């Protein structure tokens, strides 16, 4: 999900792509574009305030597959955000959800959904932060921080380890709330 213009930005700056198709699902326009290198494609439902994008490996899928995908969802879009849920008749369930926020010059915050968050939290106590606790997690070639707050968890990758970066990490407060 992203703000209006998300599709155009991705197709211009992230993976340059050529429009392939336009269709309508639930009264909303869906744009399909294929990356110029043929390695990926995107399909984006254009809402009033936000856009919902999915990425496919390889060439753009057939029209009926794109239609079926977006038709299996209930989408509510308003100025405060977009809520996407599987339609009840499809027997689908939300398998996982994740939000990633990248802050220039500081790092990235990867926030898994509440059901996936508990797998990230170590069993031992972490160092205290303003809004919870933090653990250092080793990765090949470096490390990340696991940040546990009272209402959410995040994996944080910093672009540096200056006091300014660590203060930024200390000030992060992750909080999931039900969108209903």
């Amino acid at each position: 999900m992203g703000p209006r213009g998300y599709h155009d930005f991705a197709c211009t700056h992230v993976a340059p792509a050529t429009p392939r198709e336009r269709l309508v699902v639930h009264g909303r326009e869906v744009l399909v574009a294929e990356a110029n290198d043929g390695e990926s494609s995107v399909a984006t439902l254009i809402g009033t305030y936000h856009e919902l994008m999915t990425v496919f490996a390889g060439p753009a899928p057939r029209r009926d597959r794109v239609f079926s995908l977006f038709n299996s969802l209930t989408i509510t879009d308003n100025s405060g955000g977009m809520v996407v849920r599987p339609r009840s008749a499809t027997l689908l369930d939300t398998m996982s959800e994740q939000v990633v926020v990248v802050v220039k010059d500081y790092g990235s915050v990867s926030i898994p959904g509440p059901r996936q968050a508990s797998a990230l939290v170590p069993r031992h106590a972490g160092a205290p932060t303003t809004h919870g606790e933090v653990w250092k997690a080793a990765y090949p070639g470096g490390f990340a921080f696991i940040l546990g707050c009272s209402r959410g968890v995040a994996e944080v990758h910093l672009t540096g380890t200056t006091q300014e970066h660590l203060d930024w990490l200390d000030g992060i407060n992750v909080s999931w709330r039900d969108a209903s």
Side-chain angles (χ1 to χ4, degrees):
M1 280 180 241
R4 287 293 301 260
Y6 188 53
H7 177 87
D8 290 338
F9 180 86
C11 292
T12 302
H13 301 290
V14 178
T18 302
R20 292 289 181 230
E21 190 156 15
R22 294 171 108 88
L23 59 142
V24 176
V25 180
H26 298 304
R28 295 184 175 122
E29 182 178 33
V30 174
L31 305 174
V32 180
E34 189 173 302
N36 296 340
D37 64 8
E39 295 294 318
S40 64
S41 56
V42 296
T44 308
L45 181 134
I46 309 299
T48 304
Y49 301 95
H50 302 88
E51 298 178 5
L52 176 63
M53 176 186 289
T54 187
V55 179
F56 300 92
R62 294 184 334 253
R63 179 184 188 94
D64 62 323
R65 291 188 61 211
V66 173
F67 181 86
S68 292
L69 170 67
F70 287 107
N71 194 46
S72 69
L73 303 172
T74 300
I75 301 165
T76 306
D77 186 25
N78 60 56
S79 61
M82 180 180 269
V83 177
V84 180
R85 290 192 172 95
R87 295 178 83 117
S88 59
T90 63
L91 301 178
L92 295 174
D93 188 16
T94 305
M95 189 169 135
S96 66
E97 52 193 329
Q98 180 171 329
V99 175
V100 177
V101 178
V102 178
V103 179
K104 185 178 180 183
D105 298 327
Y106 286 91
S108 64
V109 182
S110 178
I111 307 163
R115 285 196 275 179
Q116 294 79 34
S118 62
L120 279 178
V121 179
R123 295 191 185 278
H124 62 279
T129 68
T130 300
H131 302 286
E133 55 189 316
V134 67
W135 300 265
K136 199 173 190 179
Y139 280 87
F143 62 91
F145 294 97
I146 305 302
L147 181 63
C149 302
S150 64
R151 299 200 57 215
V153 174
E155 181 177 296
V156 181
H157 293 263
L158 299 176
T159 59
T161 54
T162 66
Q163 189 60 49
E164 185 177 4
H165 288 93
L166 297 173
D167 289 345
W168 178 71
L169 171 69
D170 181 66
I172 296 171
N173 186 8
V174 180
S175 180
W176 274 100
R177 67 177 176 84
D178 186 4
S180 52

